[in-house]
Amino acid sequence: MKCIPLVDLAAQHSEVADAVSAGFARVLGQMELIGGPEVAAFEREYAAFQQVAHCIGVGNGTDALELALRALGISAGDEVIVPANSFIASALAVLRAGARPVLVDCDPVHGLIDPVHVGSRLGPRTRAIMPVHLYGQMAPMEQLIGLGVPVIEDAAQAHGASRLGRSAGAWGVAAGTSFYPGKNLGAYGDAGAILTESEAIATRLRALRNYGSERKYHHPELGFNSRLDPLQAVVLRAKLERLAQWNTRRAEVAARYDQWLSDVPGVRRPAVLTGNEHVWHLYVIQVLQRDGVLAALNAAGIGAAIHYPLPMHLQGALAGLGYRPGEFPVAESRSTQMISLPMHPHLTIADQQRVVGALQRALKAAH
Ligand SMILES: *Cc1c(COP(=O)(O)O)cnc(C)c1O
């Protein structure tokens, strides 16, 4: 029996293969292998798609977040508030900028960062809040911005998402995003970008990503080498043309899961925060006896997974922050119950029926 993968990058590639080949040929024809017209064109097109003034392509999403923090002058002694239930890169970016990630718990209904908890952790050293638009839906930005601290969005899972009609990346002072292959807009390797409305921040970032240089061999400040590769820009341009359509198909997949799981006992379906246009990077359900259910799904050839099995405060790498088990109870309990079901634009109805059938059998067996 054929396996049903969590994501299907081969199916995506088959749609863009011709455009990618033609683009690679353009790059190789010009031999402009760093920066150049493909990168500039993608930055323009992606900024327009997200309805943000500036896009600065960089090497990956973690760098994007770190450079956004650095461009705002955040450094040692500063604190940045980050949700405990995210991919570790959100906290790593803060640490690499030299600042301290201050973790907060999430909302029990939708799992997004809880603005009440954020408010209770604000202090004299708080320099920014970094909400994560988890699984493809935006954090309650209007409430976070209302707290009066600069907001840097982690928009890695939110390509095409919006809240109250305004796109991810258009709310904060800056947003870092990732084009890791499995994201809704994925490259064929590592890639990332920062979005910002601010001309000044954009100029700063263009220097920071390029050895701290605006003029060749002149380096007024310490910079990095973190650039978006032109071959990746070709891939991203080809996929960006299809992103809206692919996100629509993801929403159709999510709607079918919602419908088919509505009367399955023991399954909590993902909740969408009112006002959000969700782009369904992941479809994450919650079940009791998660480990048994997940093992049964995997044994049945269903590529279900966990995002993420350990909240950040329980990661060994972040032990130095001094958090203890039990400190973020919502993030912890969700991490023991969550399962990501296969979710991608090319998931067929027949395969989706197989996923739901296997889930029903796994739930019965687990009881
Ligand atoms: C993928 C991801 C990142 C990091 O992106 P990379 O390109 O892998 O460095 C950061 N934050 C979140 C929420 C992500 O999902």
Side-chain angles (χ1 to χ4, degrees), residues 11 30 38 48 59 69 129 140 151 165 179-180 182 208 232 242 265 352 358:
Q30 293 161 334
E38 296 293 329
L69 290 158
I129 304 166
V151 175
F179 306 115
Y180 180 86
L208 275 178
Q232 300 302 345
R242 287 176 166 70
Q352 212 184 337

Side-chain angles (χ1 to χ4, degrees), residues 60-62 65 86-87 89-90 132 154 156-157 178-180 183 190-191 308:
N60 59 69
T62 311
L65 293 168
S86 179
F87 181 57
S90 316
V132 176
D154 181 338
Q157 304 187 358
S178 165
F179 306 115
Y180 180 86
K183 309 288 189 195
D190 280 309
Y308 301 89

